Amino acid sequence: MKLIKCGAAIINQTPLDWDNNKANIIAAIKEARDCGVSVLCLPELAISGYGCEDAFYSAGLRRMARQVLAEILPETKGIIVTLGLPVLHRNSLFNTICLVVDGEIRGFVAKRFLAREGLHYEPRWFRPWPEGDIETVSYDGKDYPIGDIIFNVNGVKLGFEICEDAWVAKRPGGNLYSQGIDIIMNPSASHFAFGKHEVRKRFVLEGSRAFGVSYIYSNLVGNEAGRAIYDGGALIASNGALISAGPRFVFGNYHLTAAVVDIDESRMAQAKSGSNYEACSNVGNIVDVSFEFPTQKPEKQDINISDWENSDCKKEEEFSRAIALGLFDYMRKSRSQGFIVSLSGGADSSAVAVLVSLMVQFAVKELGVDGFIAKSGLKNIDMDNLLSVLLTCVYQATENSSETTLNSAETLAKDLGAEFMVFDVNDLVKGYIKIVEESFGRSLTWETDDIALQNIQARVRAPGVWMLANLKNALLLSTSNRSEAAVGYATMDGDTCGGLSPIAGIDKAFLRQWLRWMEVDGPLGIEPVKSLKCVNQQIPTAELRPQDASQTDEDDLMPYGLLDACECAAIRDKMTPLEVLDIIAVQFDQYSRDQLIIWVERFFSLWCRNQWKRERYAPSFHVDDKNLDPKTWCRFPILSGGYRRELNEMQNK
């Protein structure tokens, strides 16, 4: 047996945070070396951070990345490490992995396939490297190979699939297999989405099986740049079997996953499958590297997968842990001292408050109270009552507010341990109405001025909580969900105000389902929130019209399940109104076709009319392929024809 101990580290990096990124990388290298790892795979663009956006164009960024790389080199004695950074070559920018062996640079592998869908925009900054090409790049006065490289390290061949490379049909692993590769490393920056980790496991396992290799996958973890949450989940597989797996959604700076792989066993697997010897006989992209692998004994492998991964409520678990980690990193990286939530007593704001509570519980469970405080950078904190310091909930009442929502908000806030305040803003609302009436020359009534009278109540609630956020140096969280964003059922500078919108990527139907789960079960190891019962019993309402109007969200819009189905078909799947009607007529056959036509027309009309609102939403987290964020996912013109011809086609069918 030829045994080599390999490692994959997940790291919590931040764009342009050079000292932090360097410290995390060095800490991971030291732990890997201490536990006998010979080959360590670190995530994509780990030095600079993946989400640098247009800062990648900066010569200063590339200079600093080179400098940090040079500072890390002495820490790589006795180990092989992958370090990701951007490299300018022939006036083109490439996303590269620098292979460092025993303290020395041995070459740069350039990414071949660039991620360009949804959240990813790599072709804006980087060029794809052509298959099989290898050239020379001058780096700090020395020449190194760059390109589509295989490293022959004392007879052990190391190759790469960099993140997106493994997601395409013609993945580079096929060529690597034909050249007798032994180990494929995949340094990635793969953001979280529901169910996505299972897809990653499939391509890692299938890659290791089909190519007859040991496969090492590493990833980022945490909220790196604001919108994307990375879940980590390092994987090591060999010949189709998962031999080591790391945890997801960790709150630490890094986590190392390691395993001993048998190179001879992989080679026999390739021999049995008939590896293409001719294809590798005349290759010119192999770089020879000298390195003595230490003698290694077999070790017990570690499949470090949390119990919740096998839960029947995995989507609810993933949502809870992803948003909690995203909130923690956003808070500490924005140097905020906590959160403010305008808690209405309804589903959306209650969900946001509960997510902050989960953030504290998950983080303290992993880091301990002292570790939580140290990592978050909080000052003058009461260690015995963290949540009362970190979360302030404010109920803002008008004459249209009910005792039901007040009691719901107060009960939940106190159950969570948050600070609770009540602002009576009714006089402010009346004052604005009076000013406008006097200037406008007439009285405002619900019969003639419904929307204006609703919106002023929502907008009056913004200045007070913004002021509170300033006083506490805290982050104001917006409470609008994705279903509302799709149809503009939100007040600009009202319920949309905030520096971060943690649930803007989640539909209302799932939020209500998740709140019921949090009331009864909750995440593994976390007590359910029984006080959510008073929230879950309510019918969703904005509570902006007089109470005798019996206002509900679904009366104003349409059933939430149907709204989400329209959004999925129209926005994600790009269907026309008539096609959407045909789809939902099957799904919602309890309604008449005439009623469905009204709702489909309402959806498309409101969608087009309210793009300007979506352009102004606070940053939101990405959790699936339905995000409506126009800056990073779903672009749509602010001004358009509004599907008039298409809606007429539907009406006349």
Side-chain angles (χ1 to χ4, degrees), residues 59-81:
L61 180 148
R62 298 191 297 276
R63 176 182 57 81
M64 193 63 70
R66 291 197 303 271
Q67 182 176 322
V68 172
L69 172 61
E71 293 169 3
I72 294 172
L73 288 178
E75 308 294 335
T76 64
K77 290 290 186 181
I79 192 170
I80 299 170
V81 182

Side-chain angles (χ1 to χ4, degrees), residues 69 74 104 141-142 191 211 213 237 263 278 290 343 358 546-547 592:
L69 172 61
E104 295 186 20
K142 295 183 179 179
H191 70 278
F211 309 139
V213 297
I263 301 301
E278 272 189 30
S290 177
L343 187 61
L358 288 177
Q547 290 189 31
S592 69

Side-chain angles (χ1 to χ4, degrees), residues 66 98 186 196 215 330 333 351 477 494 497 644:
R66 291 197 303 271
C98 176
N186 188 322
K196 189 176 179 182
Y215 200 106
Y330 203 105
K333 292 182 181 184
L477 296 178
C497 71
R644 285 193 293 268

Side-chain angles (χ1 to χ4, degrees), residues 432-453:
Y432 273 109
I433 292 174
K434 182 180 179 182
I435 290 172
V436 173
E437 285 179 334
E438 290 175 351
S439 300
F440 212 48
R442 70 168 176 84
S443 297
L444 304 183
T445 69
W446 286 103
E447 290 72 26
T448 58
D449 310 295
D450 176 77
I451 296 298
L453 290 173

